[in-house]
Structure formats: C-alpha cells, structure tokens
Amino acid sequence: MTIIRTVPEADATGAVAAIYADDVDELGYVAPHTAAMAMNPEALHAFEQLIRSVVPTLGLRRYELVTLAAARGTGSAHCRLAHGAKVLSKGLFGEAQLERIARDYRDAGLADDEVAMMAYAEQVGRDASAMTEADALALREAGFGDREIVDITIAASARVYFGSALQALAVDVDAPPMLGPAVRAALDPR
C-alpha cells in the first residue's frame, strides 16, 4: 500500500478529476499509479509532455518497446504491466508476441534495430552510470540517427524516473484485467 493518501475518485476535482477520467475512459478504473502521481498534476502533465515530445520521432511501437525495456532494467512491475496493457489495447502486439518480448526480447522475433534499442534502454534502466560511448555507438550501428538516439535515451530515462517514483512511494502494483495470466506472469515475474 502506498505511503501517501491519494484523492478518492469521488472527491477528485479540477485537474485531478480530469486525470482520473482519462484512466476511467482507458481502463475502466483509476489505476493506483495514476492516483499517486495525480497528487502533483503539474508534474504529471510535464512528464506526459516530455513523452509526447519523443513519440513522433520514435513512433509508438518503438516508444513502447523502449519503455518495456527500461522498466525491465529498473525492475518496475508497475510500468511493465501498465505498458503491456497499452501495447495490447493499441494493437501494437498480440498477447503471445508481448509475452515473448517480456520474457526475452532478444528471442521474440523483433528486428535487429529494435533489439539493439531495447538492450540500450534496459541498460539505461539498470545502471546508466556504467554506460560508455560504446553503448550509444551500438545504436548508431543499428541505424539510428542522432535525434533518435537522444529520444531513445530520453524515453528510457523518463521511464526510470516514473518507475522509481512509484517504487519509492510504495504504490500498489496494478495488473490490468485485460492481461491474461501468461503475459501477466511474463511482465511481472516477482
């Protein structure tokens, strides 16, 4: 259970009510991570704006792959489950493919550039301080340009921030009901 007292859905007003309404529209309920981060709506909106700045360059599929990999690196079940549900709801992958990606993206039938991007993002999530120029050069060798490399790094780093905040606040991990048992276990192997 989270260490903070979030605003109950029935008591939400203004920006918090709008944030909650978006979750209800998308999920049918307010996710625990949304309630926690909605305590500072301005920060949540700033985070969302940062994400909106990188998705056009990467495309939604690549952004979600980077997100899943960075969340894997940080050990964030929150982000892996939430974004697993997003890729399914957006039709980016089917459940069987998502399960393969969650278990081992290197052996999931992804393109070589996607695997390179995910390996880089996972390392950003695991320990960015241990990265060297060789890590970024691997992206260039996979065909990514400067803007793409920067945006992959921003997307992965943003996921580290969000997942770390949820973990630090002891936010309950939510398994969206649209995830089947096998993919849920792959995304959250705790």
Side-chain angles (χ1 to χ4, degrees):
M1 177 173 286
T2 185
I3 62 170
I4 59 172
R5 290 183 197 92
T6 60
V7 176
E9 186 177 355
D11 297 340
T13 60
V16 174
I19 291 166
Y20 284 10
D22 288 343
D23 254 25
V24 172
D25 287 345
E26 186 175 333
L27 300 171
Y29 64 97
V30 177
H33 63 270
T34 300
M37 297 309 276
M39 295 299 297
N40 184 337
E42 297 82 12
L44 181 57
H45 289 310
F47 172 79
E48 291 168 346
Q49 183 58 42
L50 177 64
I51 298 309
R52 282 192 292 277
S53 76
V54 299
V55 170
T57 302
L58 299 177
L60 188 57
R61 175 186 166 105
R62 283 183 168 178
Y63 166 74
E64 290 296 347
L65 289 172
V66 166
T67 295
L68 289 169
R72 178 183 178 137
T74 64
S76 174
H78 301 90
C79 295
R80 285 176 51 101
L81 289 163
H83 284 272
K86 282 188 184 202
V87 301
L88 292 178
S89 71
K90 301 285 184 192
L92 298 175
F93 300 102
E95 211 168 292
Q97 178 71 13
L98 177 57
E99 181 182 349
R100 288 181 66 199
I101 292 166
R103 291 196 188 285
D104 183 1
Y105 60 84
R106 289 175 176 83
D107 186 32
L110 297 173
D112 291 343
D113 62 334
E114 292 174 327
V115 172
M117 174 186 73
M118 290 185 78
Y120 177 88
E122 183 178 11
Q123 182 59 33
V124 169
R126 182 172 290 115
D127 185 4
S129 70
M131 296 179 79
T132 66
E133 184 177 318
D135 295 299
L137 285 174
L139 289 180
R140 184 166 315 285
E141 290 167 5
F144 293 103
D146 292 333
R147 172 68 188 258
E148 292 169 310
I149 293 169
V150 168
D151 285 352
I152 290 165
T153 305
I154 290 170
S157 299
R159 186 56 40 203
V160 171
Y161 150 73
F162 203 84
S164 297
L166 297 175
Q167 290 166 334
L169 294 170
V171 173
D172 293 334
V173 174
D174 175 55
M178 75 275 296
L179 296 174
V183 74
R184 186 178 302 162
L187 289 165
D188 183 13
R190 294 177 291 143

